[in-house]
Amino acid sequence: MSVNINTVYQTTLSLLNKEQRGYLTPQQFNLFANQAQLDLFEQYFYDINQFGRVSGNSTEYSDMLNILNEKISPFETVSPALSSFGGGLVLPTDLYRLGTVIKDGTIECERLDRKEFLQAAQSPLAAPTDTRPVYIQTPGRIQVYGKNTVSQLNTGITCNYIKKPAIPIWGYNIVFGEALYNAGTSTDFELHPSEETELVIKILELAGIAIEDIQLYQIAAGEELKNTQQEKA
């Protein structure tokens, strides 16, 4: 599932030109497209937290929690065995949210911060073991410990995680001074097809800031707010 980037690009430019709001360059569009995608993607996690606290409904296609999980599920990934480097196990470069850390395919590792790990290591009852390992997360890495809290566990460690969406790119060639779409160098949005309208609105909102058109920003922001209220009503 994806959203065609040329469709979003042409719709955005059409709306800008219709209102004579100014011109959006391909470079600006690509920057705004990536920001819009990340904004929508991050919002999924806040919305799951919110809708997870309220009762759902029995309608098969309109339960919001199910809809959000469907939108996130294509990004759920299982890593291969993590490799050791620089004092820890290197996390995947496309990681967005870390899920479960797993030892030998079946044993879940408990996450601790540095202080909790020091306290656990000194407690006979809470100390990690090879069948109850723990890990500490640092930027780009994790450190996994079992019974020996001095030496890290460096083999057989995998993780479940949410990967980042690919950066959307509207690729083009310049022909007679005009930018013409090139599908071969383009990357579509990786979001659910239902997000096409939201992507256009968010890009228009960012464009309003870039071309210093407060009215355009207000119109786009108003549409975004209306859609959000409808979803959460």
Side-chain angles (χ1 to χ4, degrees), residues 14 59 61 91 99 161 177 181:
S14 177
T59 306
Y61 300 111
L91 292 169
Y161 70 101
Y181 175 61

Side-chain angles (χ1 to χ4, degrees), residues 43-73 76 231-232:
Q43 189 61 44
Y44 292 161
F45 300 95
Y46 292 103
D47 289 344
I48 283 177
N49 182 57
Q50 177 182 346
F51 287 112
R53 289 178 282 173
V54 299
S55 299
N57 62 64
S58 58
T59 306
E60 184 175 5
Y61 300 111
S62 62
D63 183 275
M64 284 305 301
L65 200 55
N66 288 340
I67 290 171
L68 289 164
N69 284 323
E70 179 185 347
K71 290 179 178 180
I72 290 177
S73 61
E76 296 177 349
E231 290 174 0
K232 298 183 178 180

Side-chain angles (χ1 to χ4, degrees), residues 47 198 223-233:
D47 289 344
E198 286 294 328
E223 285 296 314
E224 182 181 358
L225 179 60
K226 182 176 70 175
N227 290 346
T228 300
Q229 289 174 336
Q230 289 175 343
E231 290 174 0
K232 298 183 178 180

Side-chain angles (χ1 to χ4, degrees), residues 181-194:
Y181 175 61
N182 183 341
T185 60
S186 296
T187 303
D188 288 335
F189 296 95
E190 286 197 326
L191 300 186
H192 192 276
S194 65

Side-chain angles (χ1 to χ4, degrees), residues 138-156:
T138 60
R141 289 171 174 74
I142 56 172
Q143 298 171 338
V144 183
Y145 296 92
K147 182 177 180 180
N148 185 346
T149 55
V150 177
S151 300
Q152 297 179 39
L153 299 176
N154 290 328
T155 59

Side-chain angles (χ1 to χ4, degrees), residues 1 4 6 19 23 50 60 62 78 87 95 99 101 122 212 221:
M1 294 187 294
N4 184 274
N6 190 47
E19 300 297 332
Y23 180 68
Q50 177 182 346
E60 184 175 5
S62 62
V78 179
L95 182 144
V101 174
Q122 297 172 13
E212 298 181 351

Side-chain angles (χ1 to χ4, degrees), residues 40 77 80 196 216:
L40 287 173
T77 308
E196 182 176 316
L216 174 61

